[in-house]
Structures are given as structure tokens and as C-alpha cells.
């Protein structure tokens, strides 16, 4: 096997790993969101009058009135431990949002491994901007 063929097969293997991370990541996100929805629906069935209240809120457009957003990772962890439906669905959405960022991070290492310095620098810059935006809490 020539050096070019080895590099091509290694590149293909790395790209497959990235595609598997994205594929199974989306499945995991869907499962977590569905789990949160199931918890919410199970809770509605156990509280008397809650299904009627939910339908009333839906019809009036006040469905988000009783939901408070999560602000810290600790709150997400506590909500997952206590089986909070809203926090579980929010965690699934956060995982879904994180998938493209993980993909960019994996691509940084792919270009480093390939020694494609131009694309490595560009991808590293994009990844850095994404991380700075997350840390600062707003887009650049």
C-alpha cells in the first residue's frame, strides 16, 4: 500500500468516526428530548386537572408561563437527577446545539493529523470564535 493510499484510508476512517459521532449524537439528542416529553406527559396524567390546565394554557398561548430557564450547568444536573421534564428536554436541545461545535473541534484535529495547515488554522479560528462566543455569552 502506497503512502497516498494509507493517508486516504486513514482520512476515510477519521471522516467515518466524525459521521458516527454526528449520527449517534442526533439519536441521543432525540432520545433525551423524547424522554423529557414522556416525563412531562406522565406528570400530566398523575396530577388531577393538569391536562385540562395544559390544554387551557395551549389555547391561550401561555404555555411557557410556568417554565423557568436554566442558567447554570449545576441546575441542569440537578434537574436531570430529579427527573424534571423541562430540564431533560433542555438538555437534549443543548446536546443538539453542541453537536456542530463538536464536529468543528474534531475537524481541527483532522486537519492537524493531515498536516493541512491552511485549513487547520482556519478551522481552529472558527472553533476559537465558537468557544469565545459560548464563554462570553454572545456572538462576535
Amino acid at each position: 500500500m502506497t503512502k497516498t493510499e494509507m493517508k486516504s484510508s486513514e482520512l476515510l476512517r477519521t471522516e467515518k468516526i466524525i459521521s458516527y459521532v454526528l449520527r449517534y449524537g442526533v439519536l441521543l439528542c432525540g432520545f433525551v428530548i423524547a424522554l423529557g416529553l414522556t416525563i412531562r406527559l406522565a406528570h400530566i396524567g398523575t396530577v388531577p386537572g393538569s391536562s385540562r390546565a395544559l390544554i387551557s394554557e395551549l389555547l391561550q398561548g401561555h404555555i411557557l408561563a410556568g417554565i423557568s430557564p436554566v442558567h447554570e450547568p449545576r441546575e441542569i444536573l440537578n434537574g436531570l437527577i430529579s427527573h424534571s421534564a423541562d430540564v431533560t428536554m433542555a438538555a437534549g436541545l443543548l446536546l443538539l446545539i453542541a453537536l456542530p461545535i463538536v464536529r468543528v473541534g474534531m475537524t481541527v484535529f483532522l486537519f492537524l493529523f493531515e498536516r493541512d495547515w491552511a485549513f487547520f488554522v482556519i478551522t481552529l479560528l472558527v472553533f476559537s470564535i465558537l468557544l469565545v462566543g459560548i464563554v462570553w455569552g454572545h456572538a462576535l
Side-chain angles (χ1 to χ4, degrees), residues 15-27 99 102-103 106:
E15 287 179 355
K16 277 187 176 183
I17 291 171
I18 292 173
S19 73
Y20 288 143
V21 167
L22 292 176
R23 181 178 303 140
Y24 294 117
V26 168
L27 289 174
L99 273 176
V102 169
R103 198 253 192 264
M106 292 177 75

Side-chain angles (χ1 to χ4, degrees), residues 1-12:
M1 190 178 268
T2 66
K3 186 175 182 179
T4 306
E5 290 173 344
M6 280 182 26
K7 188 173 181 181
S8 176
S9 69
E10 289 174 359
L11 175 64
L12 184 62

Side-chain angles (χ1 to χ4, degrees), residues 68-138:
S68 61
V70 201
H71 297 301
E72 297 179 11
R74 178 174 30 107
E75 293 176 16
I76 294 175
L77 184 61
N78 291 338
L80 289 173
I81 291 171
S82 67
H83 305 293
S84 168
D86 298 331
V87 172
T88 304
M89 287 187 282
L93 289 173
L94 284 174
L95 286 172
L96 191 62
I97 291 168
L99 273 176
I101 298 168
V102 169
R103 198 253 192 264
V104 172
M106 292 177 75
T107 307
V108 168
F109 289 108
L110 173 68
F111 289 133
L112 178 65
F113 179 71
E114 288 181 4
R115 292 192 168 100
D116 190 343
W117 302 118
F119 283 112
F120 169 74
V121 170
I122 293 168
T123 310
L124 185 63
L125 179 66
V126 169
F127 189 61
S128 301
I129 291 171
L130 287 169
L131 292 180
V132 166
I134 290 169
V135 171
W136 280 355
H138 55 80

